[in-house]
Amino acid sequence: MASQTNKVEGKDIAAKKLTAAEKAWMAKLEQVLFDCPSDRLSCYTVGDGDLTFYDKNIADAWERAHPTLTLDASDLHTRAGSMLGKVQAPFQIDSCQSA
């Protein structure tokens, strides 16, 4: 991923390249996620340090049964009974919409 330089308060700033240890940690984390033993697990974040896991099969079935309801993720999974648990990260995980 290319680093972009920006000006903040008249100074050029840019993210430093990942260290070897950071790259190795990211690769290990990605492998752990890909090694998930189930195809029913999914997760979301609300922009904090938590990944909230839910049963996507239950959530999908509930959404099909209630197509006109528009709920945020937490309300949907609470009502559907699909919430499974949380994993906490030591840093913030932003929640962004795709363009």
Side-chain angles (χ1 to χ4, degrees):
M1 186 175 288
S3 178
Q4 179 179 341
T5 301
N6 292 295
K7 287 209 180 279
V8 174
E9 298 178 355
K11 296 179 182 177
D12 286 340
I13 63 166
K16 295 178 183 176
K17 292 183 178 184
L18 292 171
T19 66
E22 290 167 334
K23 287 179 185 178
W25 176 83
M26 288 174 66
K28 192 163 73 173
L29 176 61
E30 185 175 55
Q31 190 58 52
V32 166
L33 293 171
F34 274 106
D35 287 344
C36 177
S38 171
D39 62 357
R40 73 181 179 117
L41 297 181
S42 196
C43 65
Y44 70 90
T45 183
V46 295
D48 56 12
D50 295 337
L51 285 176
T52 302
F53 284 82
Y54 64 92
D55 185 320
K56 72 177 181 175
N57 297 330
I58 300 299
D60 289 349
W62 194 88
E63 285 186 296
R64 283 191 301 276
H66 302 89
T68 59
L69 273 176
T70 305
L71 302 171
D72 68 20
S74 180
D75 289 341
L76 183 151
H77 299 299
T78 298
R79 286 189 186 196
S82 56
M83 198 88 69
L84 297 172
K86 292 183 179 187
V87 172
Q88 199 168 29
F91 48 77
Q92 180 175 332
I93 304 169
D94 288 333
S95 175
C96 304
Q97 291 184 350
S98 317

